[in-house]
Amino acid sequence: MIDLRTLFFTIILVPWMLSSAARNGYMEARKPKKEVVTIPDYDTAGDSDTSPAAAPKDEGELPTCLLCVCLTGSVYCEEVSPEMTAVPSLPKETAYLYARYNKITKITNKDFADIATLRRIDLTGNLISEIEDGAFSKLALLEELNLSENKLAKLPMLPAKLISFNANYNQLKTKGIKSTAFKKLTKMAYLYLGNNELEAIPQLPESLHIVHLYNNKITTLSDETFCQGNNTQYIRANMEEVRLDGNPLMLAKHPNSFVCLRALPIGPYH
């Protein structure tokens, strides 16, 4: 007669143990393997990034968006270290560039050739002494250009839709500005040319609201500088402020030069 304990072991415990082992094995097989995370080598990360935002101009340069702060449509490159001596490569969708207080010395025709979306460029406080004549020719949307606190003696052709142009604190000379450089800019409202070496006032567009020409070397005015000498009915309606202080010019000697203005220029009258 079969021992009851042996029968119990054979019928109940053995199948249960086999089933349990099978379940454990199945669960073990289903455990996911630990994911291996590869950390990129930042010394070479730029080499594999083909986006315009990260592409350096020359081999060995750091990608622009590692040196600067790149947000959607805007690039901020201010007081960059190591020193930035040229305009950086920009993402093609850039609309606003702020590259102030660096060591940029020159603007070439290639710097903005592929960035047709630019609306504002601010290069205040660099060492720019040369701008190739076609450097801004493809910037059909550019509205604001700030080149103040640089070393410019002459200006290139400026974009047609420019609204505000600031070249205060440069070394601009009258012969370095084409006679119609501003006259053709029919949307320009703000023109800042203070602290330069101008000896005469350039032709000004009718659209101007504010013009600053303080601290130059301007010695003469004519009845045509702001007004139309042969048209006493003419009023320059848009002009709100003219600054001529700090020039070797006695404004009181030119009363007919301001008859079309709504307010007298700021400057010496006695």
Side-chain angles (χ1 to χ4, degrees), residues 9-26:
F9 181 84
T10 304
I11 295 174
I12 296 177
L13 291 182
V14 171
W16 179 84
M17 292 172 63
L18 291 173
S19 174
S20 178
R23 284 199 306 271
N24 290 339
Y26 176 71

Side-chain angles (χ1 to χ4, degrees), residues 27-215:
M27 293 301 293
E28 184 66 25
R30 291 187 60 189
K31 286 183 180 177
K33 293 182 179 179
K34 291 185 178 179
E35 183 180 356
V36 178
V37 179
T38 302
I39 299 174
D41 181 355
Y42 288 100
D43 292 334
T44 58
D47 297 338
S48 60
D49 192 336
T50 58
S51 68
K57 281 186 178 181
D58 301 312
E59 188 176 352
E61 288 186 8
L62 283 172
T64 299
C65 290
L66 288 184
L67 290 171
C68 310
V69 176
C70 295
L71 303 175
T72 303
S74 300
V75 178
Y76 299 85
C77 302
E78 303 196 356
E79 298 182 280
V80 171
S81 181
E83 292 179 351
M84 179 176 287
T85 58
V87 175
S89 298
L90 300 172
K92 288 193 175 182
E93 71 278 8
T94 302
Y96 305 98
L97 170 64
Y98 303 90
R100 298 178 287 202
Y101 303 106
N102 290 293
K103 300 294 178 66
I104 298 171
T105 58
K106 180 180 179 179
I107 300 175
T108 72
N109 290 336
K110 296 180 180 179
D111 288 335
F112 303 116
D114 300 324
I115 317 295
T117 53
L118 276 166
R119 292 181 178 274
R120 180 185 300 154
I121 297 174
D122 191 342
L123 295 167
T124 299
N126 279 278
L127 303 173
I128 301 168
S129 60
E130 181 182 357
I131 303 176
E132 294 183 359
D133 202 45
F136 305 120
S137 62
K138 296 184 179 180
L139 303 181
L141 301 179
L142 194 69
E143 296 178 342
E144 297 180 42
L145 178 59
N146 194 333
L147 299 172
S148 59
E149 299 177 45
N150 278 283
K151 297 181 178 297
L152 291 169
K154 63 179 183 178
L155 294 177
M157 183 183 299
L158 298 172
K161 292 187 178 180
L162 211 58
I163 294 174
S164 176
F165 178 66
N166 191 335
N168 285 342
Y169 293 93
N170 274 274
Q171 300 168 8
L172 291 174
K173 303 180 187 301
T174 299
K175 63 181 181 180
I177 301 177
K178 294 179 181 178
S179 60
T180 58
F182 303 114
K183 188 71 173 178
K184 294 181 178 180
L185 303 181
T186 58
K187 294 183 179 297
M188 180 168 284
Y190 308 99
L191 178 60
Y192 305 102
L193 298 171
N195 280 92
N196 279 283
E197 299 177 18
L198 299 176
E199 297 176 352
I201 298 173
Q203 295 182 41
L204 303 173
E206 292 288 326
S207 55
L208 270 186
H209 289 238
I210 294 174
V211 58
H212 287 183
L213 294 157
Y214 56 84
N215 295 342

